[in-house]
Amino acid sequence: MTTTPSGQGVGLGMPQLPAPDYPDDVRARLETDAREVIARYPDSRSALLPLLHLVQSEEGHVTRTGMRFCAEMLDLTTAEVTAVATFYTMYRRKPSGDYQVGVCTNTLCAVMGGDAIFEALQDHLGVGNGETTGDGKVTLEHIECNAACDFAPVVMVNWEFFDNQTVESAKRLVDDLREGAQVAPTRGAPLCTFKETARVLAGFPDERAGAVEAGGSAGPASLTGLRLAKGETGPARVVHPRGSGGPQDQQPAEHLSSHDAPQQTSASDPSHPAGPVTEEGE
C-alpha cells in the first residue's frame, strides 16, 4: 500500500498471473500452422507479424494467450511480442466484431464527406470509435489513408473497399452487415469475416471461390502518372488563376477523378454502380 499526496491509500494490486495456454487441440493445430509460417523466414523472429495475425484469426483479437504462444514459438519474451502487438493498429487488443468498419477521415476523404459519415454511423450504431455493437457484428473506427483518394470518401470493411460512399449508403451498408445480407465490396475479393481475413493476412491461401481472381484497380486519377511515364498524353487542361479574367465556364476535356463528377454510389445499392474503375495500366 502506498499513499497519494492527499493521504488516500492506493492499492498496488497483485502481479498479473501468466496467460493461460490454449486447449491441447487448439494448441496442436496452431503449432502446425505456425511452423509452416516460420519455415518461410531465414530468421524465425521475422515471422512475428504473420503469427500475430494467425492467433488473431483464432479468437478475433490478440489475447495474452496468443502473445504467449508467439513468444514460445519464436523464442522471444512476451515483452518483445507485446511491443509489436501494441504498435500496429491492425492487431486488436480486445474482442471486436465480425466486421471491422473503418471510415477514412484523412484529409481528402474527410472533406469529401468522411467526417460526416463517421459521425452519422456513431449515432446510427450507438457506438464510439473502436467500439462494437451489442450483437457483436460491427466494430466502428476511423482509419488513416488507404490510398483510394480518387474514390473518396471511402469506407473499408475488413480491409475491403467500399468506394464513393455517402451517409445514407454507409448506413445501408452497416445495416446489411448486421442483418446478414450479402454485401459485395466495390472492388477486390468477396467479403469475409474478420477472423477469416486475419488468416489470409497470416499468409495462408484464400480458399474462397473467385477470391484470388477478383481484382480492383486504381481510378483514372491514380493512373495519370503511369500514363505520363509511358509517354501517353491526354487532352490539355488549362487552369486559370482566380481573378485572372480567364474563361470560368470552360469544361474539362475529361473527368480524371470521381471528384470531378461526384456520384451517389454505394456497393450495397445495386442500382448505383461503383465509381470509375479501369484495368491497371489502361
Side-chain angles (χ1 to χ4, degrees):
M1 177 74 71
T2 187
T3 58
T4 64
S6 64
Q8 295 179 336
V10 178
L12 296 179
M14 294 294 293
Q16 194 173 33
L17 295 174
D21 202 353
Y22 287 116
D24 290 344
D25 58 331
V26 174
R27 171 89 188 200
R29 173 166 47 80
L30 289 176
E31 283 186 0
T32 299
D33 289 340
R35 290 192 185 98
E36 180 180 338
V37 173
I38 294 170
R40 302 169 187 164
Y41 298 90
D43 186 342
S44 64
R45 69 181 298 144
S46 299
L48 177 55
L49 296 182
L51 283 196
L52 285 169
H53 283 299
L54 175 63
V55 297
Q56 186 160 249
S57 73
E58 184 65 31
E59 299 177 87
H61 66 293
V62 178
T63 63
R64 293 175 58 237
T65 296
M67 288 189 284
R68 172 187 168 184
F69 173 82
C70 292
E72 292 173 351
M73 294 299 298
L74 300 175
D75 195 25
L76 299 173
T77 66
T78 54
E80 289 174 310
V81 175
T82 302
V84 174
T86 56
F87 181 83
Y88 294 103
T89 58
M90 289 181 74
Y91 300 124
R92 312 301 180 188
R93 297 299 311 284
K94 61 182 181 180
S96 55
D98 293 333
Y99 300 100
Q100 305 282 326
V101 176
V103 181
C104 181
T105 54
N106 244 173
T107 306
L108 187 53
C109 276
V111 300
M112 292 293 289
D115 281 346
I117 290 173
F118 184 61
E119 182 177 351
L121 289 184
Q122 290 184 89
D123 292 338
H124 186 66
L125 296 172
V127 298
N129 182 43
E131 296 179 351
T132 303
T133 55
D135 57 11
K137 293 292 186 180
V138 171
T139 297
L140 178 67
E141 63 177 350
H142 70 80
I143 54 177
E144 297 300 325
C145 182
N146 279 269
C149 298
D150 44 341
F151 294 118
V154 169
V155 173
M156 300 196 79
V157 181
N158 294 348
W159 309 115
E160 300 295 346
F161 287 101
F162 290 79
D163 301 322
N164 299 112
Q165 292 292 294
T166 66
V167 168
E168 292 307 315
S169 69
K171 287 181 179 179
R172 290 196 298 270
L173 172 60
V174 296
D175 286 345
D176 287 346
L177 292 173
R178 298 184 72 183
E179 293 168 4
Q182 185 174 5
V183 174
T186 307
R187 51 203 165 97
L191 196 62
C192 61
T193 67
F194 183 66
K195 288 183 179 180
E196 292 171 323
T197 300
R199 183 169 177 83
V200 173
L201 291 174
F204 291 94
D206 192 334
E207 298 177 352
R208 294 171 296 154
V212 176
E213 294 77 15
S217 180
S222 296
L223 299 176
T224 299
L226 178 61
R227 292 194 184 99
L228 293 175
K230 290 182 175 180
E232 301 172 7
T233 59
R237 299 180 63 185
V238 178
V239 179
H240 295 273
R242 292 183 180 178
S244 66
Q248 300 301 315
D249 57 353
Q250 180 178 352
Q251 296 298 315
E254 62 173 328
H255 291 307
L256 294 182
S257 167
S258 58
H259 303 156
D260 295 319
Q263 304 171 51
Q264 299 295 320
T265 61
S266 169
S268 59
D269 187 348
S271 65
H272 292 296
V277 178
T278 63
E279 292 298 324
E280 185 171 356
E282 288 187 353

